[in-house]
Amino acid sequence: MTTPSIVWFRQDLRLADQPALAAAAHDGPVVGVYVLDDDAPGAWKIGGAQRWWLHHSLTALAADLKKHGVPLILRRGDAVAEIGKLAKEVGAETVHAVHHYEPWWKVAEDALGKALTLKLHGGMLLDDPDSIRTGSGGRYRMFTAFWKALRERMPPPEPIAAPRNLSGPSGKIASDDLADWKLLPTTPDWSPGFADWKPGEAGAHAALKAFVPKVGAYDTARNLPSEEGTSRLSPHLHHGEVSPAAVWHAVAKGKGDTEPYLREVGWRDFTSNVIDILPAYADANGRNAYDAMPWRTGKEADADFKAWTEGRTGYPLVDAGMRQLWTHGWMHNRVRMVAASFMIKHLLLDWRRGEAWYWDCLIDADYGNNSVNWQWVAGTGIDSNPFGRIMAPLTQSPKFDAADYIRTWVPELADLSDGAIHDPEEAGCRPADYPEKIIGHREARERALQAVKKVTARDPGASD
Ligand SMILES: Cc1cc2nc3c(=O)[nH]c(=O)nc-3n(C[C@H](O)[C@H](O)[C@H](O)COP(=O)(O)OP(=O)(O)OC[C@H]3O[C@@H](n4cnc5c(N)ncnc54)[C@H](O)[C@@H]3O)c2cc1C
Protein backbone atom coordinates (compact mmCIF):
# COMPACT_ATOMS: atom_id res chain seq x y z
CA MET A 1 0.00 0.00 0.00
CA THR A 2 1.28 3.52 -0.83
CA THR A 3 2.30 5.48 2.26
CA PRO A 4 0.49 8.81 2.66
CA SER A 5 2.22 12.14 2.41
CA ILE A 6 1.50 15.09 4.66
CA VAL A 7 0.37 18.52 3.53
CA TRP A 8 1.37 21.11 6.11
CA PHE A 9 -1.18 23.92 5.91
CA ARG A 10 -0.38 27.39 7.23
CA GLN A 11 -1.46 30.58 5.42
CA ASP A 12 -2.55 28.59 2.37
CA LEU A 13 -5.94 27.28 3.48
CA ARG A 14 -7.38 26.30 0.11
CA LEU A 15 -7.79 23.38 -2.31
CA ALA A 16 -7.57 25.21 -5.66
CA ASP A 17 -4.20 26.39 -6.94
CA GLN A 18 -2.52 24.93 -3.84
CA PRO A 19 0.69 23.43 -5.26
CA ALA A 20 1.57 21.51 -2.08
CA LEU A 21 -1.81 19.77 -2.08
CA ALA A 22 -1.63 19.09 -5.82
CA ALA A 23 1.83 17.51 -5.52
CA ALA A 24 0.81 15.38 -2.54
CA ALA A 25 -2.34 14.20 -4.33
CA HIS A 26 -0.18 13.14 -7.25
CA ASP A 27 1.95 11.01 -4.91
CA GLY A 28 -0.95 9.11 -3.28
CA PRO A 29 -3.08 9.38 -0.13
CA VAL A 30 -2.94 12.71 1.71
CA VAL A 31 -3.08 13.72 5.37
CA GLY A 32 -3.59 17.45 5.97
CA VAL A 33 -2.23 19.02 9.15
CA TYR A 34 -2.51 22.44 10.76
CA VAL A 35 -0.33 23.11 13.80
CA LEU A 36 -1.18 26.02 16.09
CA ASP A 37 2.26 27.13 17.25
CA ASP A 38 2.02 30.08 19.63
CA ASP A 39 5.67 29.97 20.74
CA ALA A 40 7.79 30.08 17.60
CA PRO A 41 6.50 33.51 16.43
CA GLY A 42 7.17 35.09 19.85
CA ALA A 43 5.40 38.47 20.05
CA TRP A 44 3.97 37.84 16.58
CA LYS A 45 1.79 34.90 17.49
CA ILE A 46 -1.63 35.07 15.82
CA GLY A 47 -3.60 38.05 17.18
CA GLY A 48 -7.11 38.12 18.63
CA ALA A 49 -9.09 39.12 15.53
CA GLN A 50 -7.22 36.69 13.34
CA ARG A 51 -7.96 33.82 15.70
CA TRP A 52 -11.64 34.40 14.97
CA TRP A 53 -10.91 34.18 11.24
CA LEU A 54 -8.70 31.13 11.64
CA HIS A 55 -11.43 29.21 13.49
CA HIS A 56 -13.86 29.68 10.63
CA SER A 57 -11.29 29.18 7.89
CA LEU A 58 -10.10 25.87 9.37
CA THR A 59 -13.72 24.74 9.73
CA ALA A 60 -14.29 25.46 6.03
CA LEU A 61 -11.04 23.79 4.94
CA ALA A 62 -11.71 20.66 7.01
CA ALA A 63 -15.21 20.35 5.46
CA ASP A 64 -13.84 20.80 1.92
CA LEU A 65 -11.08 18.22 2.44
CA LYS A 66 -13.49 15.78 4.07
CA LYS A 67 -15.60 15.70 0.88
CA HIS A 68 -12.55 14.05 -0.73
CA GLY A 69 -11.88 11.72 2.20
CA VAL A 70 -8.83 13.73 3.32
CA PRO A 71 -8.56 14.40 7.07
CA LEU A 72 -7.36 17.76 8.44
CA ILE A 73 -5.44 16.88 11.58
CA LEU A 74 -5.14 19.63 14.19
CA ARG A 75 -2.19 19.71 16.55
CA ARG A 76 -0.94 22.34 18.96
CA GLY A 77 2.70 23.04 19.92
CA ASP A 78 6.03 23.12 18.16
CA ALA A 79 5.22 22.64 14.46
CA VAL A 80 8.40 20.68 13.66
CA ALA A 81 7.97 18.28 16.59
CA GLU A 82 4.25 17.79 15.97
CA ILE A 83 4.68 17.08 12.26
CA GLY A 84 7.52 14.68 13.08
CA LYS A 85 5.22 12.80 15.47
CA LEU A 86 2.37 12.74 12.97
CA ALA A 87 4.68 11.41 10.22
CA LYS A 88 5.64 8.49 12.49
CA GLU A 89 2.01 7.79 13.36
CA VAL A 90 0.86 7.61 9.73
CA GLY A 91 4.09 6.24 8.23
CA ALA A 92 4.69 9.31 6.05
CA GLU A 93 8.15 10.24 4.83
CA THR A 94 7.31 13.29 2.76
CA VAL A 95 5.79 16.61 3.75
CA HIS A 96 4.55 19.05 1.14
CA ALA A 97 4.14 22.72 2.10
CA VAL A 98 3.82 26.14 0.53
CA HIS A 99 6.93 28.21 1.31
CA HIS A 100 6.38 31.14 3.69
CA TYR A 101 8.65 34.08 4.42
CA GLU A 102 7.97 34.92 8.08
CA PRO A 103 11.24 34.41 10.00
CA TRP A 104 9.80 31.76 12.34
CA TRP A 105 8.43 29.77 9.41
CA LYS A 106 11.77 29.85 7.63
CA VAL A 107 13.43 28.45 10.78
CA ALA A 108 10.76 25.74 11.07
CA GLU A 109 11.10 24.84 7.38
CA ASP A 110 14.88 24.43 7.77
CA ALA A 111 14.45 22.20 10.83
CA LEU A 112 11.71 20.08 9.27
CA GLY A 113 13.76 19.66 6.09
CA LYS A 114 16.52 18.08 8.19
CA ALA A 115 14.15 15.64 9.88
CA LEU A 116 11.96 14.58 6.93
CA THR A 117 11.72 14.99 3.19
CA LEU A 118 10.19 18.47 2.95
CA LYS A 119 9.07 19.60 -0.49
CA LEU A 120 8.43 23.33 -0.57
CA HIS A 121 6.26 24.91 -3.24
CA GLY A 122 5.42 28.46 -4.35
CA GLY A 123 1.88 29.77 -4.30
CA MET A 124 1.90 32.35 -1.54
CA LEU A 125 3.11 35.13 -3.82
CA LEU A 126 3.02 36.01 -7.51
CA ASP A 127 6.68 35.01 -7.76
CA ASP A 128 9.59 34.04 -5.52
CA PRO A 129 11.14 37.35 -4.37
CA ASP A 130 14.57 35.74 -4.09
CA SER A 131 14.54 35.24 -7.85
CA ILE A 132 13.77 38.92 -8.54
CA ARG A 133 17.21 40.50 -8.75
CA THR A 134 18.71 43.83 -9.71
CA GLY A 135 21.09 44.09 -12.69
CA SER A 136 24.02 43.51 -10.32
CA GLY A 137 22.37 40.47 -8.73
CA GLY A 138 21.25 42.11 -5.47
CA ARG A 139 17.82 42.25 -3.86
CA TYR A 140 15.47 45.20 -4.42
CA ARG A 141 14.88 47.58 -1.50
CA MET A 142 12.49 50.02 -3.21
CA PHE A 143 8.98 49.11 -4.30
CA THR A 144 8.92 50.97 -7.63
CA ALA A 145 11.98 49.17 -9.01
CA PHE A 146 10.87 45.84 -7.51
CA TRP A 147 7.44 46.17 -9.12
CA LYS A 148 8.93 47.02 -12.52
CA ALA A 149 11.04 43.86 -12.40
CA LEU A 150 8.16 41.71 -11.11
CA ARG A 151 5.71 43.13 -13.65
CA GLU A 152 7.98 42.09 -16.51
CA ARG A 153 7.75 38.47 -15.27
CA MET A 154 3.96 38.54 -15.15
CA PRO A 155 1.38 37.12 -15.71
CA PRO A 156 1.80 34.32 -13.20
CA PRO A 157 0.98 30.78 -14.37
CA GLU A 158 -2.75 30.09 -14.83
CA PRO A 159 -4.23 28.82 -11.55
CA ILE A 160 -4.82 25.10 -11.30
CA ALA A 161 -8.14 23.61 -10.13
CA ALA A 162 -8.48 21.63 -6.90
CA PRO A 163 -7.00 18.14 -7.41
CA ARG A 164 -9.58 15.58 -8.58
CA ASN A 165 -7.58 12.58 -7.46
CA LEU A 166 -7.56 13.40 -3.74
CA SER A 167 -7.82 10.56 -1.25
CA GLY A 168 -6.99 10.00 2.40
CA PRO A 169 -5.47 7.08 4.25
CA SER A 170 -7.62 4.43 5.93
CA GLY A 171 -7.87 4.38 9.72
CA LYS A 172 -8.38 7.05 12.32
CA ILE A 173 -5.69 9.62 13.17
CA ALA A 174 -5.74 11.51 16.47
CA SER A 175 -6.57 15.21 16.17
CA ASP A 176 -7.33 18.07 18.54
CA ASP A 177 -10.86 19.35 18.63
CA LEU A 178 -10.94 22.87 17.11
CA ALA A 179 -13.33 24.08 19.84
CA ASP A 180 -10.68 23.25 22.47
CA TRP A 181 -8.35 25.81 20.92
CA LYS A 182 -10.80 28.53 22.02
CA LEU A 183 -10.03 30.75 19.05
CA LEU A 184 -13.41 32.48 19.29
CA PRO A 185 -13.92 35.24 21.87
CA THR A 186 -16.45 34.49 24.61
CA THR A 187 -16.08 36.78 27.61
CA PRO A 188 -16.80 39.23 26.16
CA ASP A 189 -17.71 38.23 22.61
CA TRP A 190 -16.46 41.25 20.67
CA SER A 191 -17.01 39.62 17.27
CA PRO A 192 -20.65 40.47 16.29
CA GLY A 193 -19.29 43.22 14.00
CA PHE A 194 -17.35 40.55 12.04
CA ALA A 195 -20.57 38.91 10.81
CA ASP A 196 -20.27 40.25 7.24
CA TRP A 197 -17.01 38.40 6.63
CA LYS A 198 -17.11 34.96 5.03
CA PRO A 199 -13.85 33.17 5.90
CA GLY A 200 -12.91 30.18 3.76
CA GLU A 201 -12.19 29.41 0.12
CA ALA A 202 -15.81 29.82 -1.05
CA GLY A 203 -15.99 33.22 0.69
CA ALA A 204 -12.74 34.29 -0.96
CA HIS A 205 -13.96 33.41 -4.44
CA ALA A 206 -17.30 35.14 -3.81
CA ALA A 207 -15.45 38.33 -2.74
CA LEU A 208 -13.22 38.13 -5.83
CA LYS A 209 -16.21 37.62 -8.14
CA ALA A 210 -18.01 40.60 -6.59
CA PHE A 211 -14.96 42.83 -7.04
CA VAL A 212 -14.02 42.09 -10.67
CA PRO A 213 -16.75 44.35 -12.20
CA LYS A 214 -15.46 47.21 -10.00
CA VAL A 215 -11.78 46.97 -10.91
CA GLY A 216 -11.91 49.64 -13.64
CA ALA A 217 -13.03 52.23 -11.05
CA TYR A 218 -10.48 51.10 -8.44
CA ASP A 219 -7.88 53.81 -9.00
CA THR A 220 -10.26 56.55 -7.84
CA ALA A 221 -12.63 54.62 -5.60
CA ARG A 222 -9.88 53.01 -3.51
CA ASN A 223 -9.17 56.31 -1.78
CA LEU A 224 -12.76 56.95 -0.71
CA PRO A 225 -13.51 55.32 2.64
CA SER A 226 -17.26 55.99 2.35
CA GLU A 227 -17.43 53.72 -0.70
CA GLU A 228 -16.79 50.00 -1.12
CA GLY A 229 -14.21 50.62 -3.81
CA THR A 230 -11.57 48.09 -2.75
CA SER A 231 -11.69 44.31 -2.98
CA ARG A 232 -11.62 43.45 0.76
CA LEU A 233 -9.62 40.40 -0.20
CA SER A 234 -6.84 41.03 2.33
CA PRO A 235 -7.93 38.51 4.99
CA HIS A 236 -8.56 35.91 2.28
CA LEU A 237 -5.15 36.56 0.70
CA HIS A 238 -3.41 36.53 4.06
CA HIS A 239 -4.91 33.16 4.98
CA GLY A 240 -4.27 31.88 1.48
CA GLU A 241 -7.91 31.06 0.77
CA VAL A 242 -7.34 32.28 -2.77
CA SER A 243 -3.99 32.39 -4.54
CA PRO A 244 -2.58 35.70 -5.79
CA ALA A 245 -2.32 34.09 -9.26
CA ALA A 246 -6.07 33.35 -9.20
CA VAL A 247 -6.73 36.97 -8.19
CA TRP A 248 -4.43 38.23 -10.95
CA HIS A 249 -6.10 36.21 -13.70
CA ALA A 250 -9.66 36.99 -12.56
CA VAL A 251 -8.97 40.72 -12.26
CA ALA A 252 -7.02 40.95 -15.51
CA LYS A 253 -10.23 39.89 -17.28
CA GLY A 254 -12.07 42.90 -15.79
CA LYS A 255 -13.00 45.99 -17.81
CA GLY A 256 -11.01 49.24 -17.72
CA ASP A 257 -7.57 49.93 -16.32
CA THR A 258 -6.69 46.91 -14.17
CA GLU A 259 -3.07 47.99 -13.66
CA PRO A 260 -3.53 50.06 -10.44
CA TYR A 261 -5.10 47.06 -8.71
CA LEU A 262 -2.49 44.55 -9.92
CA ARG A 263 0.20 46.91 -8.66
CA GLU A 264 -1.34 46.90 -5.17
CA VAL A 265 -1.32 43.10 -5.18
CA GLY A 266 2.36 43.43 -6.10
CA TRP A 267 2.91 45.20 -2.75
CA ARG A 268 2.33 41.84 -1.01
CA ASP A 269 5.26 40.40 -2.90
CA PHE A 270 7.39 43.42 -2.03
CA THR A 271 6.69 43.17 1.71
CA SER A 272 7.65 39.48 1.67
CA ASN A 273 10.80 40.49 -0.18
CA VAL A 274 11.59 42.96 2.63
CA ILE A 275 11.08 40.50 5.50
CA ASP A 276 13.03 37.90 3.56
CA ILE A 277 16.09 40.18 3.49
CA LEU A 278 15.43 41.91 6.86
CA PRO A 279 13.69 39.30 9.05
CA ALA A 280 13.50 41.57 12.14
CA TYR A 281 11.70 44.32 10.22
CA ALA A 282 8.67 44.29 12.54
CA ASP A 283 10.89 45.22 15.48
CA ALA A 284 13.87 47.15 14.10
CA ASN A 285 13.95 50.49 12.31
CA GLY A 286 14.87 50.08 8.66
CA ARG A 287 16.95 53.27 9.05
CA ASN A 288 19.18 52.97 12.13
CA ALA A 289 19.26 56.73 12.68
CA TYR A 290 15.68 56.46 14.00
CA ASP A 291 16.99 54.55 17.03
CA ALA A 292 17.68 58.08 18.36
CA MET A 293 14.07 59.26 17.94
CA PRO A 294 12.74 60.64 21.26
CA TRP A 295 9.36 58.89 21.21
CA ARG A 296 7.09 59.95 24.08
CA THR A 297 6.76 57.51 26.97
CA GLY A 298 5.17 57.63 30.45
CA LYS A 299 1.68 58.14 31.82
CA GLU A 300 0.53 60.91 29.47
CA ALA A 301 1.84 59.08 26.45
CA ASP A 302 0.04 55.92 27.60
CA ALA A 303 -3.21 57.84 28.06
CA ASP A 304 -2.88 59.27 24.54
CA PHE A 305 -2.22 55.81 23.14
CA LYS A 306 -5.34 54.48 24.89
CA ALA A 307 -7.45 57.33 23.50
CA TRP A 308 -6.13 56.51 20.02
CA THR A 309 -6.98 52.81 20.34
CA GLU A 310 -10.49 53.68 21.51
CA GLY A 311 -11.17 56.24 18.77
CA ARG A 312 -11.36 59.23 21.17
CA THR A 313 -8.76 61.64 19.75
CA GLY A 314 -11.21 64.36 18.69
CA TYR A 315 -10.10 63.92 15.05
CA PRO A 316 -13.19 62.38 13.40
CA LEU A 317 -11.45 60.53 10.56
CA VAL A 318 -8.89 58.97 12.91
CA ASP A 319 -11.60 58.01 15.40
CA ALA A 320 -13.82 56.51 12.70
CA GLY A 321 -10.93 54.36 11.49
CA MET A 322 -9.97 53.13 14.93
CA ARG A 323 -13.57 52.22 15.71
CA GLN A 324 -13.97 50.45 12.37
CA LEU A 325 -10.84 48.47 13.22
CA TRP A 326 -12.14 47.43 16.63
CA THR A 327 -15.67 46.60 15.49
CA HIS A 328 -15.04 45.15 12.06
CA GLY A 329 -11.48 43.77 12.30
CA TRP A 330 -10.48 45.71 9.19
CA MET A 331 -9.82 49.33 8.25
CA HIS A 332 -9.84 51.12 4.92
CA ASN A 333 -6.29 51.60 3.57
CA ARG A 334 -6.44 55.40 3.33
CA VAL A 335 -7.63 55.58 6.95
CA ARG A 336 -5.02 53.02 8.07
CA MET A 337 -2.42 55.49 6.80
CA VAL A 338 -4.05 58.55 8.40
CA ALA A 339 -4.58 56.82 11.77
CA ALA A 340 -1.05 55.38 11.82
CA SER A 341 0.49 58.71 10.88
CA PHE A 342 -1.56 60.41 13.61
CA MET A 343 -0.30 58.03 16.28
CA ILE A 344 3.32 58.34 15.17
CA LYS A 345 3.58 62.03 14.33
CA HIS A 346 0.75 63.86 16.15
CA LEU A 347 1.10 61.79 19.33
CA LEU A 348 4.83 61.14 18.86
CA LEU A 349 4.51 57.50 19.88
CA ASP A 350 6.82 54.71 18.73
CA TRP A 351 5.42 53.14 15.55
CA ARG A 352 5.86 49.68 17.11
CA ARG A 353 3.05 50.40 19.59
CA GLY A 354 0.57 51.00 16.79
CA GLU A 355 1.91 48.10 14.78
CA ALA A 356 1.21 45.75 17.71
CA TRP A 357 -2.31 47.16 18.13
CA TYR A 358 -3.15 46.64 14.45
CA TRP A 359 -1.65 43.14 14.74
CA ASP A 360 -4.10 42.20 17.45
CA CYS A 361 -7.15 43.86 15.88
CA LEU A 362 -6.79 43.15 12.15
CA ILE A 363 -8.27 40.02 10.60
CA ASP A 364 -5.67 40.46 7.84
CA ALA A 365 -2.71 41.07 10.22
CA ASP A 366 0.33 40.05 8.23
CA TYR A 367 3.96 40.17 9.39
CA GLY A 368 5.27 41.62 6.12
CA ASN A 369 2.37 43.88 5.16
CA ASN A 370 1.92 45.32 8.64
CA SER A 371 5.57 46.05 9.40
CA VAL A 372 6.44 47.43 5.97
CA ASN A 373 3.41 49.73 5.95
CA TRP A 374 4.01 50.97 9.50
CA GLN A 375 7.62 51.75 8.68
CA TRP A 376 6.52 53.36 5.42
CA VAL A 377 4.18 55.73 7.28
CA ALA A 378 6.71 56.35 10.08
CA GLY A 379 9.51 57.26 7.67
CA THR A 380 11.77 54.76 9.45
CA GLY A 381 11.72 52.18 6.65
CA ILE A 382 14.11 51.32 3.85
CA ASP A 383 11.48 52.59 1.39
CA SER A 384 9.20 55.06 3.13
CA ASN A 385 7.33 58.33 3.22
CA PRO A 386 9.66 61.01 4.66
CA PHE A 387 9.01 61.68 8.36
CA GLY A 388 8.69 65.41 7.68
CA ARG A 389 5.67 64.83 5.42
CA ILE A 390 3.00 64.95 8.11
CA MET A 391 -0.49 63.92 7.02
CA ALA A 392 -3.17 66.40 8.06
CA PRO A 393 -6.25 64.37 9.07
CA LEU A 394 -8.52 67.43 8.96
CA THR A 395 -7.58 68.01 5.31
CA GLN A 396 -7.56 64.34 4.30
CA SER A 397 -11.12 63.90 5.58
CA PRO A 398 -12.95 66.29 3.18
CA LYS A 399 -10.43 65.61 0.40
CA PHE A 400 -11.46 61.95 0.34
CA ASP A 401 -15.13 62.62 1.06
CA ALA A 402 -15.16 60.76 4.37
CA ALA A 403 -18.39 62.30 5.79
CA ASP A 404 -20.54 59.17 5.46
CA TYR A 405 -17.72 56.97 6.70
CA ILE A 406 -17.51 59.11 9.85
CA ARG A 407 -21.31 58.96 10.28
CA THR A 408 -21.16 55.15 10.19
CA TRP A 409 -18.40 54.72 12.76
CA VAL A 410 -18.79 57.79 15.02
CA PRO A 411 -22.52 57.94 15.73
CA GLU A 412 -22.12 60.98 18.02
CA LEU A 413 -21.37 62.98 14.86
CA ALA A 414 -24.04 61.42 12.62
CA ASP A 415 -26.29 64.50 12.61
CA LEU A 416 -23.58 67.00 11.59
CA SER A 417 -23.53 68.49 8.10
CA ASP A 418 -20.93 67.53 5.49
CA GLY A 419 -19.28 70.88 6.10
CA ALA A 420 -18.95 70.47 9.89
CA ILE A 421 -18.35 66.76 10.38
CA HIS A 422 -14.64 66.75 9.47
CA ASP A 423 -13.76 69.23 12.23
CA PRO A 424 -16.74 69.83 14.56
CA GLU A 425 -14.62 71.76 17.08
CA GLU A 426 -13.57 74.32 14.46
CA ALA A 427 -17.17 74.54 13.17
CA GLY A 428 -18.35 75.28 16.74
CA CYS A 429 -20.72 72.31 16.91
CA ARG A 430 -18.81 69.60 18.75
CA PRO A 431 -21.40 67.45 20.57
CA ALA A 432 -20.79 67.22 24.33
CA ASP A 433 -20.25 63.45 24.14
CA TYR A 434 -17.49 63.78 21.51
CA PRO A 435 -13.97 64.55 22.87
CA GLU A 436 -12.00 67.73 22.28
CA LYS A 437 -8.93 67.41 20.09
CA ILE A 438 -6.23 65.58 22.02
CA ILE A 439 -3.66 68.05 20.59
CA GLY A 440 -3.91 70.85 18.02
CA HIS A 441 -2.63 70.03 14.55
CA ARG A 442 -0.07 72.85 14.39
CA GLU A 443 1.28 72.18 17.86
CA ALA A 444 1.61 68.45 17.07
CA ARG A 445 3.34 69.15 13.79
CA GLU A 446 5.87 71.49 15.44
CA ARG A 447 6.57 68.95 18.20
CA ALA A 448 7.16 66.17 15.67
CA LEU A 449 9.47 68.30 13.52
CA GLN A 450 11.49 69.30 16.60
CA ALA A 451 11.77 65.68 17.72
CA VAL A 452 13.06 64.39 14.38
CA LYS A 453 15.99 66.83 14.63
CA LYS A 454 17.60 64.32 17.02
CA VAL A 455 17.55 61.86 14.16
CA THR A 456 18.69 64.24 11.44
CA ALA A 457 21.55 65.36 13.70
CA ARG A 458 22.90 61.80 13.36
CA ASP A 459 21.95 61.34 9.73
CA PRO A 460 21.04 64.55 7.84
CA GLY A 461 19.23 62.65 5.07
CA ALA A 462 17.13 60.50 7.41
CA SER A 463 13.97 62.56 7.10
CA ASP A 464 14.07 63.00 3.28
C1 LIG B 1 -0.25 51.11 8.77
C2 LIG B 1 -0.75 50.05 7.82
C3 LIG B 1 -0.80 48.71 8.22
C4 LIG B 1 -1.23 47.72 7.34
N1 LIG B 1 -1.29 46.41 7.77
C5 LIG B 1 -1.67 45.44 6.90
C6 LIG B 1 -1.73 44.08 7.31
O1 LIG B 1 -1.39 43.71 8.43
N2 LIG B 1 -2.17 43.16 6.41
C7 LIG B 1 -2.52 43.51 5.12
O2 LIG B 1 -2.92 42.62 4.35
N3 LIG B 1 -2.44 44.78 4.71
C8 LIG B 1 -2.03 45.76 5.54
N4 LIG B 1 -1.99 47.06 5.12
C9 LIG B 1 -2.16 47.35 3.67
C10 LIG B 1 -3.58 47.71 3.21
O3 LIG B 1 -4.13 48.68 4.05
C11 LIG B 1 -4.52 46.50 3.16
O4 LIG B 1 -3.91 45.43 2.46
C12 LIG B 1 -5.82 46.86 2.45
O5 LIG B 1 -6.45 47.94 3.10
C13 LIG B 1 -6.73 45.66 2.45
O6 LIG B 1 -7.96 45.98 1.88
P1 LIG B 1 -8.39 45.40 0.46
O7 LIG B 1 -8.22 43.92 0.45
O8 LIG B 1 -9.73 45.94 0.14
O9 LIG B 1 -7.28 46.04 -0.47
P2 LIG B 1 -7.26 46.35 -2.03
O10 LIG B 1 -7.06 47.80 -2.19
O11 LIG B 1 -8.42 45.73 -2.71
O12 LIG B 1 -5.89 45.65 -2.49
C14 LIG B 1 -5.82 44.30 -2.95
C15 LIG B 1 -4.81 43.53 -2.16
O13 LIG B 1 -3.51 44.04 -2.38
C16 LIG B 1 -2.74 43.94 -1.18
N5 LIG B 1 -2.38 45.30 -0.75
C17 LIG B 1 -3.04 46.45 -1.00
N6 LIG B 1 -2.37 47.50 -0.47
C18 LIG B 1 -1.28 46.99 0.13
C19 LIG B 1 -0.20 47.55 0.85
N7 LIG B 1 -0.09 48.87 1.06
N8 LIG B 1 0.75 46.72 1.33
C20 LIG B 1 0.69 45.39 1.14
N9 LIG B 1 -0.31 44.79 0.45
C21 LIG B 1 -1.27 45.58 -0.04
C22 LIG B 1 -3.63 43.30 -0.14
O14 LIG B 1 -3.36 41.91 -0.11
C23 LIG B 1 -5.02 43.58 -0.67
O15 LIG B 1 -5.97 42.64 -0.26
C24 LIG B 1 -1.59 48.07 6.01
C25 LIG B 1 -1.55 49.43 5.62
C26 LIG B 1 -1.14 50.39 6.52
C27 LIG B 1 -1.09 51.83 6.04
Side-chain angles (χ1 to χ4, degrees), residues 218 230-234 237 261 264-265 267-268 271 330-331 333 336-337 340 358 362 364-366 369-370 373-374 377:
Y218 175 77
T230 68
S231 66
R232 303 200 175 205
L233 278 169
S234 53
L237 276 165
Y261 183 80
E264 267 343 271
V265 177
W267 265 97
R268 283 182 77 244
T271 70
W330 183 90
M331 198 197 308
N333 179 58
R336 283 188 207 204
M337 287 194 279
Y358 274 26
L362 280 171
D364 63 25
D366 181 275
N369 288 354
N370 202 34
N373 278 286
W374 272 93
V377 175

Side-chain angles (χ1 to χ4, degrees), residues 17 39 62 99 159 220 239 243 249 307 323 326 328 336 406:
D17 206 29
D39 292 326
H99 177 46
T220 313
H239 292 89
S243 71
H249 284 283
R323 296 187 198 187
W326 179 255
H328 197 45
R336 283 188 207 204
I406 295 169

